[in-house]
Amino acid sequence: MLPVARLGSRLVQTSTLRGIRLPLLASAHFSSGPIGGPRVAIVGSGPAGFYTADRLLRRAGAASQAAPEADGSATSAALRIDILESLPVPFGLARHGVAPDHQAMKQCINRFDALLAEQREAAESATGQPQLRWFGNVTVGAGPPAPCGAPVPEGPPPPALSLAALRSAYDAVILAHGAQDGRDLGVPVVDVATGRPLHATSRGTAAHGAALERMLVNLLPARDFVCWYNGQTDHTECPVPALAAPAAAWLPVSASELAPGLTGVRVAELPAGAGARALVVGNGNVALDVARALLRGDRAFEKLDVPRAGVLEVLRRHAAAPGDRRIRHVEVIGRRGPAEVSFTISELRELVGAAIARHAGQAPDPEKFPLDAADPPGEEVVLVVPEKALVLQALDAAPAPARPRVRLLALLRQAVEAAVDPAEEPNVYARAGRTLTFRFFAAPTAILAQGVATPVEPEGPSADGCPASYYQVAGLRLGLSTVDPATGRATPRNTGTGLETQILLPASVVLTSVGFRVGALDDEAPIDTAAGANRLAHDGQGRVLPAGEPQPPADSSGSSSTALAPVYCAGWAKTGPVGVIASTMADAYATADVVWEDLAARGGTRVDTAPGFEGLPIDHSQAITAAQWALLDREERARGEAAGALRDKIPSRAEQLRLSRGGSASPE
């Protein structure tokens, strides 16, 4: 029996997810009369989009029940919501961003899918009209140009709409498209052969508006790697050649290969035969997800919801490669100290729990750590923490943490105490089958690049706008800081202390997990240009501001006369890429309340012609409906069941469209 919570005058079922009580979605409401009343478009079908729709349906249902004879009752009961999605599949971050081995965090998909099922039933009914509809393969706005090396969509482009077109067909438009791009490091790229910078990494200076940083083989945002193993549309090829095709060519450079200008800094190279090293820059949950995937490989995803041919086969080939060709060493790099990490305790425990147990002389619990417990001798993951004493000092000096972080930092201390300091055991990388290194107080100051074929020539792009030749990443140069004994925070190192201030880390792969970037879909909905902002410009309540409009103070409610009505934003598009699914739900509800109150203040419907999706200037036959998505969903589940897995995702856009439209699967 599900617990029940009261929301206003309605009883709402709730579920508990990792100790957080989340209200389940309201049932869709249907009207047997003609479609009328206000029409709302939501751009993006991730958690923010679905939760916003859910809240609006709740408000409409509550209003019609509370005042069935009031003037606004027809408006409430006849509310129509269309969710528009650029991909042929729904659920956004919940499907493509949450790690496959974190199925509990994907439970919201079940409720979203139930809502779509009710939509399908209403569409098939002779009398019912769904209040909520989903349309996939519909793009709003042109968006920024794809960076060089980004996946190229298959087949014809999906129907594209301007924000102005949506505004002419709906009474309110809500942008819930999230953050589509990973942030770059934004540091110089240095040629290891010459010691000189190759090119500035600021966007807009290289072909296609992409940084040289995006043109380096085996260097990419962690998001791209996550999209690949999660089977996001168009991410059909492994973006890490060193993983997909282990070879000597991808092994890290040695100190002897570095230019004289780089050799004044200590080079922390791996011993010969130790295999390849991957650097993950960032100290958040995504960084740990990526580290876990690299270390556990195919065993972690065997029975879960990943593309079996495109992901599992690649990971299996990598696991079967000779040890001196495989990625056996993963290093997580944070510019701040251990007390300032942003990952959660559950993410950390998955990675370090077994090592802590072994340090205490115990075997890993096979129920809690089944993969670690099954590691063959010599393949156990060894924890490594450089400058271990400094890290423990930082934990000692840190102010008392807020209650939710007490257990996290206690576990992190256990991990540091169980780790090996390479200064005390220099041969750790030679003896260990695999290592996981946590390096704190280290900020990238340069990306090391090694020439492949001919150097990149930004002035001479190929026909597609991207350079025809490239470099591969060779590692990072890190600037090192130390701990402020008064605060436990990072502070610059003084050269007079005897501590080294820089270090070179040769590596085969560098994955950057330093945050996401919210993109503007349309010039009418600009990005907030305030210092440090990474969201759409809005009035503080989700009303999007027009281009050139100054941002009001944080406590200002704004007004409909100055906002770009009727355009709103929700989720990461509104807050920036922060928080988890539960916080996204709360924000989506807040935006929905603002939209509802604005609709009520305007008296409901504003548009008299070309209402809703049917009035949009696109080829409607190219859009995917919820009923068509159900066909693809059924096929993925069936393929997964046949292989003993939850699902076999299909990342090919062409295949997604073919199966959604009732076509047969392509031959294997």
Side-chain angles (χ1 to χ4, degrees), residues 191 194 198 212 450-460 467-471:
D191 187 345
T194 65
L198 288 173
L212 177 59
Q450 184 178 20
V452 176
T454 57
V456 173
E457 294 292 345
E459 293 77 19
S469 56
Y470 53 83
Y471 277 75

Side-chain angles (χ1 to χ4, degrees), residues 263-302:
T263 53
V265 179
R266 184 170 71 87
V267 181
E269 60 182 327
L270 295 175
R277 172 163 55 192
L279 306 180
V280 183
V281 183
N283 262 337
N285 283 342
V286 174
L288 297 199
D289 283 343
V290 167
R292 195 171 64 253
L294 289 170
L295 287 169
R296 291 183 174 175
D298 62 297
R299 294 191 302 151
F301 300 154
E302 177 67 35

Side-chain angles (χ1 to χ4, degrees), residues 652-665:
S652 164
R653 182 183 293 265
E655 188 78 348
Q656 288 176 347
L657 294 174
R658 179 165 47 251
L659 292 171
S660 295
R661 291 166 179 157
S664 59

